[in-house]
Short mmCIF file of all heavy atoms in Angstrom, two decimals:
data_model
loop_
_atom_site.label_atom_id
_atom_site.label_comp_id
_atom_site.label_asym_id
_atom_site.label_seq_id
_atom_site.Cartn_x
_atom_site.Cartn_y
_atom_site.Cartn_z
N GLU E 1 -39.64 106.02 155.82
CA GLU E 1 -40.58 105.73 154.83
C GLU E 1 -40.26 104.42 154.08
O GLU E 1 -39.17 104.16 153.80
CB GLU E 1 -40.74 106.93 153.88
CG GLU E 1 -41.14 108.16 154.54
CD GLU E 1 -41.45 109.28 153.58
OE1 GLU E 1 -41.39 109.05 152.37
OE2 GLU E 1 -41.72 110.39 154.02
N ALA E 2 -41.31 103.70 153.79
CA ALA E 2 -41.10 102.46 152.98
C ALA E 2 -40.98 102.74 151.52
O ALA E 2 -41.67 103.60 150.91
CB ALA E 2 -42.27 101.42 153.34
N SER E 3 -40.14 101.94 150.88
CA SER E 3 -39.99 102.14 149.38
C SER E 3 -41.13 101.38 148.58
O SER E 3 -41.25 101.63 147.46
CB SER E 3 -38.63 101.50 148.98
OG SER E 3 -38.47 100.18 149.35
N GLY E 4 -41.86 100.44 149.30
CA GLY E 4 -42.93 99.75 148.63
C GLY E 4 -44.00 99.53 149.70
O GLY E 4 -43.92 99.97 150.82
N SER E 5 -45.05 98.86 149.17
CA SER E 5 -46.22 98.52 150.02
C SER E 5 -45.94 97.45 151.03
O SER E 5 -45.18 96.50 150.74
CB SER E 5 -47.36 98.29 149.15
OG SER E 5 -47.12 97.12 148.44
N ILE E 6 -46.54 97.53 152.11
CA ILE E 6 -46.39 96.44 153.18
C ILE E 6 -47.75 96.15 153.73
O ILE E 6 -48.54 96.99 154.11
CB ILE E 6 -45.43 96.99 154.40
CG1 ILE E 6 -44.06 97.43 153.85
CG2 ILE E 6 -45.29 95.86 155.33
CD1 ILE E 6 -43.21 98.00 154.86
N ALA E 7 -48.05 94.87 153.79
CA ALA E 7 -49.38 94.41 154.32
C ALA E 7 -49.14 93.79 155.67
O ALA E 7 -48.10 93.18 155.91
CB ALA E 7 -49.93 93.37 153.28
N GLY E 8 -50.19 93.93 156.51
CA GLY E 8 -50.19 93.15 157.78
C GLY E 8 -49.25 93.76 158.80
O GLY E 8 -48.65 92.90 159.53
N ILE E 9 -49.09 95.07 158.93
CA ILE E 9 -48.22 95.68 159.92
C ILE E 9 -48.92 95.57 161.30
O ILE E 9 -50.00 96.03 161.49
CB ILE E 9 -47.89 97.03 159.51
CG1 ILE E 9 -47.20 97.11 158.26
CG2 ILE E 9 -47.07 97.76 160.70
CD1 ILE E 9 -46.92 98.57 157.77
N ASN E 10 -48.16 95.01 162.23
CA ASN E 10 -48.64 94.93 163.64
C ASN E 10 -47.97 96.02 164.54
O ASN E 10 -48.71 96.62 165.33
CB ASN E 10 -48.32 93.50 164.26
CG ASN E 10 -49.06 92.44 163.52
OD1 ASN E 10 -48.49 91.72 162.62
ND2 ASN E 10 -50.28 92.26 163.87
N VAL E 11 -46.78 96.26 164.38
CA VAL E 11 -46.03 97.17 165.22
C VAL E 11 -45.03 98.04 164.42
O VAL E 11 -44.35 97.43 163.59
CB VAL E 11 -45.31 96.56 166.34
CG1 VAL E 11 -44.72 97.68 167.36
CG2 VAL E 11 -46.21 95.64 167.22
N MET E 12 -44.97 99.38 164.69
CA MET E 12 -43.94 100.12 164.07
C MET E 12 -43.19 100.83 165.24
O MET E 12 -43.73 101.08 166.29
CB MET E 12 -44.58 101.26 163.19
CG MET E 12 -45.51 100.76 162.07
SD MET E 12 -46.22 101.96 161.12
CE MET E 12 -44.90 102.41 160.06
N GLY E 13 -41.96 100.92 165.07
CA GLY E 13 -41.17 101.51 166.20
C GLY E 13 -39.84 101.97 165.87
O GLY E 13 -39.34 102.01 164.64
N TRP E 14 -39.10 102.48 166.84
CA TRP E 14 -37.74 103.07 166.77
C TRP E 14 -36.85 102.40 167.81
O TRP E 14 -37.22 102.24 168.98
CB TRP E 14 -37.72 104.57 166.93
CG TRP E 14 -38.31 105.28 165.72
CD1 TRP E 14 -39.56 105.69 165.56
CD2 TRP E 14 -37.60 105.81 164.54
NE1 TRP E 14 -39.79 106.40 164.36
CE2 TRP E 14 -38.45 106.36 163.72
CE3 TRP E 14 -36.24 105.65 164.20
CZ2 TRP E 14 -38.08 106.97 162.43
CZ3 TRP E 14 -35.88 106.17 162.99
CH2 TRP E 14 -36.84 106.86 162.12
N TYR E 15 -35.70 101.93 167.43
CA TYR E 15 -34.70 101.48 168.20
C TYR E 15 -33.44 102.48 168.14
O TYR E 15 -33.30 103.23 167.13
CB TYR E 15 -34.27 100.11 167.97
CG TYR E 15 -35.30 99.00 168.24
CD1 TYR E 15 -36.48 98.87 167.53
CD2 TYR E 15 -35.05 98.12 169.30
CE1 TYR E 15 -37.40 97.90 167.90
CE2 TYR E 15 -35.99 97.14 169.60
CZ TYR E 15 -37.20 96.96 168.86
OH TYR E 15 -38.12 96.05 169.15
N ARG E 16 -32.47 102.22 169.14
CA ARG E 16 -31.23 103.03 168.98
C ARG E 16 -30.19 102.19 169.52
O ARG E 16 -30.35 101.39 170.37
CB ARG E 16 -31.34 104.44 169.66
CG ARG E 16 -31.45 104.27 171.23
CD ARG E 16 -31.58 105.75 171.75
NE ARG E 16 -31.69 105.74 173.20
CZ ARG E 16 -31.92 106.75 173.97
NH1 ARG E 16 -32.09 107.95 173.41
NH2 ARG E 16 -31.96 106.65 175.24
N GLN E 17 -28.99 102.49 169.06
CA GLN E 17 -27.77 101.72 169.50
C GLN E 17 -26.60 102.70 169.57
O GLN E 17 -26.18 103.30 168.49
CB GLN E 17 -27.51 100.53 168.60
CG GLN E 17 -26.30 99.64 169.03
CD GLN E 17 -26.19 98.36 168.33
OE1 GLN E 17 -26.61 98.29 167.12
NE2 GLN E 17 -25.59 97.38 168.80
N ALA E 18 -26.02 102.83 170.74
CA ALA E 18 -24.92 103.61 170.89
C ALA E 18 -23.62 102.74 170.81
O ALA E 18 -23.72 101.51 171.07
CB ALA E 18 -24.98 104.35 172.25
N PRO E 19 -22.49 103.25 170.59
CA PRO E 19 -21.22 102.47 170.52
C PRO E 19 -20.99 101.69 171.82
O PRO E 19 -21.10 102.25 172.94
CB PRO E 19 -20.21 103.50 170.29
CG PRO E 19 -20.82 104.57 169.58
CD PRO E 19 -22.26 104.69 170.17
N GLY E 20 -20.74 100.35 171.63
CA GLY E 20 -20.49 99.54 172.85
C GLY E 20 -21.76 99.18 173.61
O GLY E 20 -21.63 98.44 174.69
N LYS E 21 -22.94 99.51 173.18
CA LYS E 21 -24.12 99.17 173.80
C LYS E 21 -25.13 98.31 172.93
O LYS E 21 -24.93 98.34 171.74
CB LYS E 21 -24.82 100.32 174.35
CG LYS E 21 -24.21 101.19 175.36
CD LYS E 21 -24.94 102.35 175.85
CE LYS E 21 -24.26 103.19 176.94
NZ LYS E 21 -25.13 104.29 177.44
N VAL E 22 -26.02 97.50 173.59
CA VAL E 22 -26.95 96.80 172.78
C VAL E 22 -27.97 97.73 172.20
O VAL E 22 -28.18 98.84 172.69
CB VAL E 22 -27.57 95.68 173.64
CG1 VAL E 22 -26.50 94.79 174.23
CG2 VAL E 22 -28.38 96.31 174.80
N ARG E 23 -28.64 97.24 171.15
CA ARG E 23 -29.73 98.01 170.58
C ARG E 23 -30.91 97.95 171.47
O ARG E 23 -31.33 96.89 172.00
CB ARG E 23 -30.07 97.36 169.20
CG ARG E 23 -31.09 98.21 168.43
CD ARG E 23 -31.36 97.66 167.07
NE ARG E 23 -30.10 97.62 166.32
CZ ARG E 23 -30.02 97.44 165.01
NH1 ARG E 23 -31.10 97.07 164.35
NH2 ARG E 23 -28.83 97.52 164.36
N GLU E 24 -31.58 99.11 171.76
CA GLU E 24 -32.61 99.20 172.72
C GLU E 24 -33.85 99.77 172.06
O GLU E 24 -33.78 100.63 171.19
CB GLU E 24 -32.28 99.93 173.93
CG GLU E 24 -31.96 101.41 173.61
CD GLU E 24 -31.62 102.19 174.93
OE1 GLU E 24 -31.97 101.77 176.05
OE2 GLU E 24 -31.14 103.32 174.81
N LEU E 25 -35.02 99.39 172.54
CA LEU E 25 -36.24 99.96 172.00
C LEU E 25 -36.47 101.33 172.58
O LEU E 25 -36.35 101.55 173.81
CB LEU E 25 -37.46 99.09 172.43
CG LEU E 25 -38.83 99.62 172.21
CD1 LEU E 25 -39.06 99.65 170.62
CD2 LEU E 25 -39.91 98.72 172.77
N VAL E 26 -36.78 102.29 171.80
CA VAL E 26 -37.00 103.66 172.14
C VAL E 26 -38.45 103.97 172.24
O VAL E 26 -38.92 104.47 173.30
CB VAL E 26 -36.32 104.77 171.13
CG1 VAL E 26 -36.59 106.11 171.53
CG2 VAL E 26 -34.83 104.41 171.19
N ALA E 27 -39.19 103.61 171.23
CA ALA E 27 -40.67 103.80 171.14
C ALA E 27 -41.25 102.92 170.22
O ALA E 27 -40.65 102.53 169.17
CB ALA E 27 -40.94 105.29 170.75
N SER E 28 -42.51 102.49 170.46
CA SER E 28 -43.19 101.66 169.51
C SER E 28 -44.73 102.03 169.49
O SER E 28 -45.22 102.73 170.45
CB SER E 28 -43.19 100.15 170.11
OG SER E 28 -43.74 100.03 171.27
N LEU E 29 -45.28 101.68 168.40
CA LEU E 29 -46.76 102.06 168.12
C LEU E 29 -47.40 100.87 167.48
O LEU E 29 -47.04 100.37 166.49
CB LEU E 29 -46.73 103.29 167.14
CG LEU E 29 -48.11 103.80 166.68
CD1 LEU E 29 -48.89 104.30 167.89
CD2 LEU E 29 -47.93 104.90 165.68
N THR E 30 -48.46 100.39 168.23
CA THR E 30 -49.21 99.20 167.73
C THR E 30 -50.32 99.49 166.75
O THR E 30 -50.62 100.69 166.52
CB THR E 30 -49.75 98.43 168.90
OG1 THR E 30 -50.68 99.21 169.59
CG2 THR E 30 -48.64 97.94 169.91
N ARG E 31 -50.90 98.49 166.22
CA ARG E 31 -51.93 98.70 165.27
C ARG E 31 -53.09 99.47 165.71
O ARG E 31 -53.72 100.26 165.08
CB ARG E 31 -52.50 97.33 164.81
CG ARG E 31 -53.63 97.42 163.71
CD ARG E 31 -54.29 96.01 163.54
NE ARG E 31 -53.41 94.96 163.04
CZ ARG E 31 -53.25 94.75 161.78
NH1 ARG E 31 -53.97 95.42 160.88
NH2 ARG E 31 -52.36 93.83 161.42
N ASP E 32 -53.50 99.29 167.08
CA ASP E 32 -54.64 99.99 167.71
C ASP E 32 -54.25 101.38 168.23
O ASP E 32 -55.11 102.03 168.79
CB ASP E 32 -55.17 99.14 168.78
CG ASP E 32 -54.23 98.98 169.98
OD1 ASP E 32 -53.09 99.46 169.89
OD2 ASP E 32 -54.62 98.23 170.94
N GLY E 33 -53.05 101.87 167.91
CA GLY E 33 -52.63 103.11 168.41
C GLY E 33 -51.97 103.33 169.69
O GLY E 33 -51.53 104.41 170.18
N SER E 34 -51.71 102.21 170.37
CA SER E 34 -51.02 102.15 171.77
C SER E 34 -49.69 102.48 171.55
O SER E 34 -48.95 101.95 170.57
CB SER E 34 -51.21 100.87 172.45
OG SER E 34 -52.65 100.64 172.67
N THR E 35 -49.07 103.33 172.42
CA THR E 35 -47.65 103.71 172.41
C THR E 35 -46.97 103.14 173.52
O THR E 35 -47.47 102.99 174.62
CB THR E 35 -47.48 105.24 172.25
OG1 THR E 35 -48.14 105.85 173.39
CG2 THR E 35 -48.05 105.70 170.95
N ASN E 36 -45.62 102.97 173.43
CA ASN E 36 -44.76 102.54 174.50
C ASN E 36 -43.44 103.27 174.39
O ASN E 36 -42.93 103.29 173.25
CB ASN E 36 -44.59 101.08 174.51
CG ASN E 36 -43.71 100.58 175.70
OD1 ASN E 36 -42.60 100.20 175.48
ND2 ASN E 36 -44.29 100.56 176.88
N TYR E 37 -42.87 103.73 175.50
CA TYR E 37 -41.67 104.49 175.40
C TYR E 37 -40.68 103.96 176.48
O TYR E 37 -41.11 103.49 177.46
CB TYR E 37 -41.81 105.95 175.67
CG TYR E 37 -42.73 106.62 174.58
CD1 TYR E 37 -44.05 106.82 174.75
CD2 TYR E 37 -42.06 107.19 173.51
CE1 TYR E 37 -44.89 107.46 173.81
CE2 TYR E 37 -42.84 107.84 172.60
CZ TYR E 37 -44.15 108.03 172.62
OH TYR E 37 -44.97 108.60 171.68
N ALA E 38 -39.44 103.97 176.14
CA ALA E 38 -38.37 103.70 177.10
C ALA E 38 -38.46 104.82 178.22
O ALA E 38 -38.77 105.95 177.96
CB ALA E 38 -37.06 103.70 176.40
N ASP E 39 -38.15 104.31 179.43
CA ASP E 39 -38.15 105.28 180.51
C ASP E 39 -37.34 106.50 180.33
O ASP E 39 -37.64 107.64 180.72
CB ASP E 39 -37.83 104.60 181.87
CG ASP E 39 -38.85 103.60 182.29
OD1 ASP E 39 -40.02 103.75 181.90
OD2 ASP E 39 -38.50 102.76 183.12
N SER E 40 -36.24 106.35 179.67
CA SER E 40 -35.31 107.39 179.43
C SER E 40 -35.71 108.53 178.51
O SER E 40 -35.13 109.54 178.47
CB SER E 40 -33.96 106.76 178.98
OG SER E 40 -34.18 106.16 177.78
N VAL E 41 -36.83 108.22 177.67
CA VAL E 41 -37.24 109.17 176.76
C VAL E 41 -38.65 109.64 176.96
O VAL E 41 -39.19 110.43 176.29
CB VAL E 41 -37.15 108.72 175.29
CG1 VAL E 41 -35.68 108.18 175.10
CG2 VAL E 41 -38.10 107.53 175.07
N LYS E 42 -39.33 109.02 178.01
CA LYS E 42 -40.74 109.42 178.24
C LYS E 42 -40.81 110.95 178.61
O LYS E 42 -40.14 111.50 179.32
CB LYS E 42 -41.28 108.66 179.45
CG LYS E 42 -41.57 107.23 179.16
CD LYS E 42 -42.11 106.45 180.44
CE LYS E 42 -42.37 105.05 180.05
NZ LYS E 42 -42.91 104.26 181.27
N GLY E 43 -41.82 111.56 177.93
CA GLY E 43 -42.06 112.99 178.07
C GLY E 43 -41.23 113.90 177.07
O GLY E 43 -41.44 115.06 177.04
N ARG E 44 -40.30 113.24 176.46
CA ARG E 44 -39.44 114.03 175.54
C ARG E 44 -39.64 113.55 174.03
O ARG E 44 -39.49 114.44 173.21
CB ARG E 44 -37.94 113.85 175.92
CG ARG E 44 -37.59 114.35 177.31
CD ARG E 44 -36.10 114.33 177.60
NE ARG E 44 -35.59 113.02 177.53
CZ ARG E 44 -34.63 112.63 176.62
NH1 ARG E 44 -34.08 113.51 175.78
NH2 ARG E 44 -34.08 111.43 176.70
N PHE E 45 -39.89 112.32 173.83
CA PHE E 45 -39.95 111.80 172.44
C PHE E 45 -41.38 111.47 172.14
O PHE E 45 -42.17 110.96 173.08
CB PHE E 45 -39.13 110.49 172.26
CG PHE E 45 -37.64 110.71 172.39
CD1 PHE E 45 -37.06 112.00 172.71
CD2 PHE E 45 -36.74 109.67 172.03
CE1 PHE E 45 -35.72 112.17 172.68
CE2 PHE E 45 -35.34 109.93 172.09
CZ PHE E 45 -34.82 111.15 172.43
N THR E 46 -41.84 111.53 170.92
CA THR E 46 -43.13 111.23 170.45
C THR E 46 -43.09 110.40 169.17
O THR E 46 -42.44 110.88 168.27
CB THR E 46 -44.05 112.44 170.33
OG1 THR E 46 -44.10 113.21 171.54
CG2 THR E 46 -45.40 111.98 169.99
N ILE E 47 -43.75 109.23 169.10
CA ILE E 47 -43.78 108.48 167.96
C ILE E 47 -45.18 108.64 167.23
O ILE E 47 -46.18 108.77 167.87
CB ILE E 47 -43.60 106.97 168.20
CG1 ILE E 47 -43.43 106.15 166.97
CG2 ILE E 47 -44.70 106.40 169.14
CD1 ILE E 47 -43.02 104.68 167.22
#
């Protein structure tokens, strides 16, 4: 949750980073409602 107001949001999403690994995109949600998921979490995670 945001602590203040935000204008002009295009994409909201979640990333994750495990020790020794790069940060990777887990899921994203665009302004028009389109979603995208990493292959490793498809069918299990919902944004």
